Amino acid sequence: MPRDIGKRLSQLRTRRSGIDRINRITAQFALDEVVRKSQQQEAWQTRAVNKPYTRYALGAMEAVDADYTRISLETAQRVANQLEGQLPKFGHSVAFRLQGSVALDVHIRGVSDVDLLTLETSFHTYATRGRRSLAGLYTAPSSRTSIEVLTELRKNSEQVLKSSYPKADVDISGGKAIALSGGSLPRPVDIVPSHYFDSLIYQETGQDHDRGVTILNTKVPETIDNWPFLHIKLINDIDGIVSGALKKAIRLCKNVKSDAESEGTSISFPSFDIAATMYHADRQALSAARYYELAVLSETQRHLDYLARDVKFAQTLMVPDGSRKIFDTDGKLKGLVNLSIEMDDLLRQVAKEQNALLAALDEPPLDVSRSVISVLNAANI
């Protein structure tokens, strides 16, 4: 399907400004703020004025405006304060942590859902063969199960949220999270009932990022163990090494995916797995973005293309925390291929805007296109 770059630029702007999800906000002060900010021009919009594909690529890499992210984090804290004040009345002792794209700063929307882990701290599970367990440092096992504890926490959290935010939409249909939006809240918040899981590694290191989290899926019901803090740490560590290029690559992929899907292309490739995939990209190549910003596009396209062509190798890649394979379903592999095709097209179009000889070709070779955009400096764009 032909890509409409004008439409994609417009969607990128409305997505980043929050206009695309303005129906998720009902508080007038928050609506006014989103509308006001949407009328301001961002820096990326003034770059590569006569090169729309280049401008799109540059904008798609950038972090959402810091004010939007701050409001999201403040809203999550506000909800946490309500839960912290009222859940003890039901016998719960709770703590709160963030997970997901906002916590990692790879969200692509000005109005983004924030994932708020609501942790029952009076109960946790642990690997029975871990160092601390074998040393007898844990108390006697509880007679309660994780499903029982988290089901009760979920039920009481729903009650607290409904009474605390009577004008908000408290959507309890999701299996893993309570979706809270509207009312007086300037941003949507997903509340995830959970408790800690002390893994073998955590019992060795005692490092907070090694501690697991157990969440409930009410649809089964079943519990699922995750390592959100380790995922965040590992992505942040590599992003620091490559001067912010890894997160730029993740955002680029997510924006391209969103726009392709709006045009009818199915890309079944979750945000978490996109981040995990780009974690395995060539770090030296990403580091070139310190000098040539479009090197992010070049390496992102190369990496996705390589994986799409070598499916067996792609299937060996693990998520950063090592808990599972990234491409554990056929749907994700198909999503990878479709995203790779989209990135091929973007690379070619950007290269054609930079080079008159390539502009004369319908489909310039991918390797030549990469070489062209990998040696540009800021003055060129």
Side-chain angles (χ1 to χ4, degrees):
M1 178 177 291
R3 286 84 171 175
D4 184 339
I5 191 59
K7 181 180 177 182
R8 289 195 176 193
L9 281 166
S10 176
Q11 290 175 163
L12 177 63
R13 182 184 62 79
T14 58
R15 193 161 52 239
R16 290 176 59 84
S17 68
I19 293 295
D20 70 319
R21 287 189 171 181
I22 204 163
N23 63 328
R24 304 287 302 277
I25 302 172
T26 57
Q28 191 60 51
F29 76 94
L31 286 169
D32 291 343
E33 178 66 11
V34 169
V35 171
R36 183 186 66 81
K37 291 278 285 185
S38 71
Q39 295 171 348
Q40 299 175 0
Q41 196 170 52
E42 293 189 279
W44 65 270
Q45 293 177 267
T46 66
R47 304 183 66 189
V49 176
N50 298 314
K51 299 173 181 177
Y53 287 94
T54 301
R55 186 162 71 255
Y56 173 86
L58 294 170
M61 298 175 195
E62 291 303 312
V64 168
D65 185 282
D67 281 344
Y68 285 111
T69 302
R70 174 185 55 78
I71 293 170
S72 295
L73 298 176
E74 289 175 353
T75 306
Q77 184 59 55
R78 176 179 161 188
V79 174
N81 291 343
Q82 282 290 339
L83 291 166
E84 186 176 33
Q86 298 192 53
L87 282 174
K89 299 175 185 177
F90 297 91
H92 297 288
S93 177
V94 289
F96 302 90
R97 300 285 298 273
L98 296 180
Q99 66 172 8
S101 294
V102 174
L104 193 53
D105 195 22
V106 293
H107 54 301
I108 60 171
R109 288 181 165 83
V111 176
S112 289
D113 298 28
V114 190
D115 285 353
L116 178 67
L117 291 167
T118 302
L119 293 146
E120 175 63 69
T121 57
S122 68
F123 179 94
H124 67 271
T125 54
Y126 55 89
T128 56
R129 300 185 67 181
R131 174 179 288 187
R132 291 176 60 85
S133 176
L134 295 175
L137 298 179
Y138 291 108
T139 57
S142 171
S143 60
R144 299 185 296 168
T145 67
S146 289
I147 289 180
E148 291 170 345
V149 169
L150 295 179
T151 298
E152 182 180 7
L153 178 59
R154 165 94 184 217
K155 178 188 70 175
N156 292 330
S157 295
E158 290 172 1
Q159 184 173 336
V160 168
L161 293 169
K162 288 177 180 178
S163 63
S164 299
Y165 301 102
K167 295 184 179 181
D169 177 21
V170 183
D171 183 356
I172 62 173
S173 64
K176 300 173 185 177
I178 307 163
L180 179 66
S181 63
S184 63
L185 298 172
R187 295 292 185 272
V189 180
D190 290 339
I191 296 89
V192 185
S194 52
H195 66 69
Y196 284 118
F197 168 63
D198 293 359
S199 63
L200 290 170
I201 296 176
Y202 174 74
Q203 292 184 50
E204 287 286 337
T205 68
Q207 295 293 313
D208 184 63
H209 58 259
D210 286 326
R211 203 171 196 188
V213 168
T214 299
I215 66 174
L216 173 70
N217 180 2
T218 62
K219 299 294 187 182
V220 180
E222 66 177 358
T223 57
I224 304 165
D225 293 332
N226 290 324
W227 280 262
F229 316 130
L230 182 58
H231 177 78
I232 289 171
K233 179 185 184 300
L234 292 172
I235 296 289
N236 279 333
D237 286 350
I238 299 305
D239 190 61
I241 291 171
V242 299
S243 302
L246 174 55
K247 291 185 182 181
K248 287 187 174 186
I250 295 168
R251 296 185 201 107
L252 174 63
C253 288
K254 292 174 65 174
N255 275 302
V256 169
K257 173 180 181 285
S258 179
D259 289 324
E261 288 181 327
S262 75
E263 295 170 354
T265 299
S266 175
I267 301 181
S268 180
F269 199 6
S271 174
F272 181 91
D273 293 303
I274 287 176
T277 298
M278 296 315 301
Y279 178 81
H280 293 284
D282 186 290
R283 291 164 192 174
Q284 184 174 354
L286 285 178
S287 294
R290 295 172 186 153
Y291 313 105
Y292 315 117
E293 292 171 85
L294 290 173
V296 171
L297 170 60
S298 175
E299 173 54 18
T300 300
Q301 182 279 326
R302 185 210 63 81
H303 183 56
L304 294 178
D305 182 62
Y306 179 78
L307 296 180
R309 293 174 185 276
D310 192 343
V311 171
K312 288 186 177 180
F313 175 72
Q315 289 175 312
T316 69
L317 296 181
M318 303 290 291
V319 297
D321 62 37
S323 60
R324 64 168 174 84
K325 299 284 181 63
I326 298 173
F327 298 101
D328 52 1
T329 68
D330 290 339
K332 290 180 187 177
L333 285 170
K334 185 176 179 181
L336 165 68
V337 171
N338 287 345
L339 181 59
S340 175
I341 291 170
E342 291 291 330
M343 207 64 70
D344 290 350
D345 181 76
L346 180 59
L347 174 81
R348 286 188 170 111
Q349 297 299 335
V350 170
K352 288 166 73 171
E353 288 181 340
Q354 311 303 325
N355 186 286
L357 293 177
L358 294 186
L361 304 176
D362 288 336
E363 290 194 354
L366 291 170
D367 57 343
V368 176
S369 297
R370 282 196 300 271
S371 68
V372 165
I373 71 168
S374 296
V375 295
L376 295 171
N377 58 43
N380 295 116
I381 53 176

